[in-house]
């Protein structure tokens, strides 16, 4: 097979050529002889290790009308991702080795992004019986989570942390005390009061974050907290980390790029769980990203069909289709504003999440896996949901102006996305 040469990309701020042989980077240098290589002209583009999203919903099996492995993988590579970890709230639930294998096989057939299944903590995500974690790991699961729902029983969570820990696998906790949610539909605050909706207290998230920290600390086990959205959650995790608790966490672009003000007019595309919070929380997310409290930026890509977002806020499904807007929202909100460097954003979107779930990711060095994304950082554009590859057009960011366009995504040294 011919080698591939990325010509004149910015690598760590310097113009470089990147020579790829098979699935690895052979050489990075100025002016590499192209020989009979296939050449990508990357003049004006910045090369980054392709992104890893450790929290997406691909919906297959069972909810293919929302998304399937093919459409979700296509959306992933268009978003600059070479690898995604998909949550088990499928139908049937990904709680057995056959479904884990099915997801992996189907992703291989599709041959776009690498797909790593996350298996359920409890059978049927019912919160009653622990899954067969050893068999699930053997089949290819990379983590355990009942995401979409909390593990309500502290005793079950205790067993899960211990058991998963024995297999050196992370448990990803969706932190939500359902009794405190109390039929709320959006964040409890000014906007909810003004619009007349029942609110969801921040405590519904924070009580569970605190519980999981206590369990991890008591057991000496590790826990990963999913999609944090509040200042209080960040503070609990910051303090726990300082004590040496093995806790990691993630947040999503919508929690640092938006607030519940988006729900003023009742836009159900801004309905997500946990809910968008207020400006003080948004700023606290940015602080937590800056000081290392947040380990990873994930999308919680949650595609839904049009009809599931219609008919008013109360009945609408929770979730944002986010994998095609993640880099631009993050880059615009965090890097262009000067809050963090591009290098730090790259860590949050690639090496850190890959480390948490224990998968190999791209890196821009010789010998590394050639999972590479080429972005045009100066390209300013308007987010258009109609251009999404995802079946889910449910974004509250339609019409928003952002910077940072993904032009190419390479997976294992092969071009899997090229902007047309
Ligand atoms: O907004 C959300 N959507 N939050 C979740 O935890 C689940 C997800 C989904 O599956 O739609
Ligand atoms: Zn989720």
């Amino acid at each position: 097979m011919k080698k591939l040469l990325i010509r004149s990309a910015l690598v760590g701020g310097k113009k470089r050529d990147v020579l790829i042989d098979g699935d690895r980077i052979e050489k990075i240098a100025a002016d590499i002889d192209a020989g009979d290589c296939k050449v990508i002209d990357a003049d004006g583009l910045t090369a980054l290790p392709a992104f890893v999203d450790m929290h997406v919903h691909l919906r297959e099996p069972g909810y293919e009308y929302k998304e399937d492995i093919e459409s979700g993988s296509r959306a992933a590579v268009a978003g600059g991702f070479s690898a995604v970890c998909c949550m088990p709230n499928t139908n049937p639930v990904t709680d057995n080795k056959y479904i884990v294998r099915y997801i992996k096989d189907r992703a291989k057939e599709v041959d776009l992004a690498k797909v790593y299944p996350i298996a359920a903590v409890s059978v049927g995500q019912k919160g009653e019986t622990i899954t067969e974690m050893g068999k699930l790991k053997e089949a290819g699961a990379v983590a355990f989570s009942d995401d979409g729902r909390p593990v309500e029983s502290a005793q079950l969570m205790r067993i899960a942390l211990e058991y998963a820990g024995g297999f050196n696998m992370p448990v990803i906790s969706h932190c939500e005390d359902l009794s405190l949610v109390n039929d709320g539909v959006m964040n409890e605050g000014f906007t909810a009061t003004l619009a007349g909706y029942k609110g969801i207290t921040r405590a519904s998230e924070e009580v569970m974050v605190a519980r999981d920290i206590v369990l991890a600390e008591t057991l000496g086990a590790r826990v990963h907290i999913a999609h944090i959205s509040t200042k209080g959650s960040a503070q609990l995790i910051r303090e726990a980390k300082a004590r040496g608790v093995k806790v990691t966490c993630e947040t999503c672009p919508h929690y640092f790029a938006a607030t519940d003000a988006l729900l003023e007019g009742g836009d159900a595309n801004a309905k997500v769980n946990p809910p968008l919070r207020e400006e003080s929380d948004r700023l606290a997310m940015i602080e937590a990203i800056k000081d290392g409290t947040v380990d990873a930026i994930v999308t919680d890509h949650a595609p839904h069909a049009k009809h599931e977002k219609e008919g008013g806020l109360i009945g609408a499904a929770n979730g944002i289709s986010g994998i095609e807007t993640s880099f631009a929202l993050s880059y615009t909100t965090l890097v262009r504003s000067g809050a963090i460097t591009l290098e730090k954003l790259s860590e949050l979107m690639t090496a850190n999440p890959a480390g948490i779930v224990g998968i190999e990711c791209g890196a821009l060095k010789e010998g590394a896996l050639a999972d590479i994304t080429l972005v045009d950082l100066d390209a300013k554009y308007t987010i258009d949901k109609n251009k999404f590859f995802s079946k889910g057009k449910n974004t509250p960011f339609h019409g928003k102006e952002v910077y940072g366009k993904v032009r190419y995504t390479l997976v294992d040294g092969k071009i899997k996305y090229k902007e047309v």
Side-chain angles (χ1 to χ4, degrees):
M1 211 183 70
K2 269 190 183 179
K3 292 184 186 178
L4 184 63
L5 185 71
I6 301 175
R7 164 80 78 213
S8 298
L10 282 170
V11 178
K14 296 193 185 98
K15 266 208 174 183
R16 290 286 179 263
D17 295 346
V18 181
L19 182 64
I20 296 162
D21 185 13
D23 65 351
R24 300 268 151 188
I25 297 175
E26 183 180 319
K27 195 172 173 193
I28 302 179
D31 300 318
I32 297 174
D33 178 16
D36 71 341
C37 292
K38 180 182 163 72
V39 175
I40 297 178
D41 176 13
D43 196 30
L45 304 183
T46 296
L48 295 170
F51 312 129
V52 174
D53 194 341
M54 62 175 285
H55 187 150
V56 304
H57 298 267
L58 295 182
R59 307 300 193 200
E60 187 177 346
Y63 301 108
E64 291 84 352
Y65 70 96
K66 296 176 194 265
E67 188 82 290
D68 57 36
I69 291 169
E70 182 169 6
S71 61
S73 301
R74 210 171 278 290
V77 291
F81 293 86
S82 61
V84 296
C85 305
C86 56
M87 285 295 175
N89 58 341
T90 48
N91 187 15
V93 167
T94 308
D95 62 3
N96 61 74
K97 63 183 179 187
Y98 303 104
I99 300 181
V100 170
R101 280 198 204 130
Y102 168 75
I103 293 170
K104 283 177 58 109
D105 289 348
R106 181 69 194 124
K108 276 223 176 75
E109 268 170 29
V110 165
D111 196 22
L112 289 165
K114 291 175 229 185
V115 176
Y116 298 94
I118 295 170
V121 165
S122 67
V123 176
Q125 292 192 297
K126 287 190 164 60
E128 290 160 7
T129 317
I130 199 106
T131 52
E132 294 191 281
M133 292 183 165
K135 286 191 181 148
L136 288 161
K137 178 182 181 177
E138 233 175 71
V142 295
F144 299 103
S145 182
D146 271 359
D147 181 63
R149 293 185 49 77
V151 175
E152 289 184 80
S153 156
Q155 168 64 358
L156 190 74
M157 189 52 133
R158 187 169 80 111
I159 295 169
L161 292 181
E162 234 167 3
Y163 203 46
F167 294 107
N168 194 24
M169 296 269 279
V171 172
I172 302 172
S173 180
H174 167 117
C175 288
E176 186 180 20
D177 181 312
L178 297 176
S179 70
L180 288 168
V181 173
N182 196 24
D183 299 326
V185 292
M186 62 179 289
N187 179 56
E188 185 173 273
F190 181 76
T191 308
T193 307
L194 204 68
Y197 288 109
K198 210 165 167 183
I200 302 172
T201 168
R202 292 171 180 79
S204 64
E205 175 177 320
E206 292 159 5
V207 159
M208 270 314 211
V209 172
R211 181 201 75 177
D212 287 345
I213 287 171
V214 168
L215 289 175
E217 190 162 16
T218 308
L219 297 166
R222 75 194 261 229
V223 67
H224 178 81
I225 310 291
H227 43 53
I228 66 163
S229 71
T230 77
K231 187 175 179 174
S233 293
Q235 187 56 20
L236 284 162
I237 293 163
R238 183 178 289 120
E239 286 166 8
K241 282 185 166 188
R243 290 199 303 280
V245 181
K246 288 186 249 169
V247 57
T248 51
C249 75
E250 59 184 44
T251 191
C252 317
H254 40 271
Y255 300 120
F256 56 77
T259 66
D260 62 358
L262 287 185
L263 287 136
E264 259 168 32
D267 180 10
N269 287 320
K271 186 182 177 191
V272 59
N273 184 23
L276 300 180
R277 307 286 184 181
E278 291 175 304
E279 184 64 5
S280 53
D281 297 288
R282 189 184 79 81
L283 295 174
M285 286 305 109
I286 297 177
E287 270 317 300
I289 286 168
K290 280 169 79 170
D291 75 6
T293 301
V294 168
D295 298 276
I297 292 174
V298 305
T299 64
D300 193 7
H301 177 67
H304 290 293
K306 194 159 179 271
H307 70 272
E308 293 170 310
K309 287 289 194 179
E310 288 171 345
L313 207 55
I314 293 171
N318 277 302
I320 291 174
S321 177
I323 205 156
E324 290 169 81
T325 56
S326 179
F327 175 72
L329 287 171
S330 303
Y331 174 69
T332 306
T333 314
L334 301 174
V335 180
R336 275 192 96 91
S337 69
I340 61 170
T341 61
L342 180 63
E343 200 179 11
K344 167 92 175 166
L345 177 62
S346 171
E347 278 167 23
L348 288 157
M349 292 186 69
T350 304
N352 290 3
I356 293 166
V357 291
I359 60 176
E360 187 181 4
C361 63
L364 288 174
K365 57 182 189 204
E366 292 170 4
L369 199 59
D371 283 6
I372 299 170
T373 293
L374 297 172
V375 292
D376 184 345
L377 295 177
D378 293 322
K380 185 179 179 186
Y381 69 101
T382 304
I383 291 173
D384 181 355
K385 64 182 180 185
N386 301 310
K387 293 193 174 146
F388 283 3
F389 289 92
S390 170
K391 290 184 193 178
K393 313 297 178 197
N394 47 305
T395 176
F397 298 112
H398 179 68
K400 187 179 165 78
E401 238 177 36
V402 286
Y403 287 89
K405 205 150 203 335
V406 174
R407 302 283 194 210
Y408 285 87
T409 303
L410 275 63
V411 182
D412 287 335
K414 294 189 200 77
I415 300 170
K416 295 297 178 184
Y417 173 72
K418 178 181 185 316
E419 193 194 37
V420 285

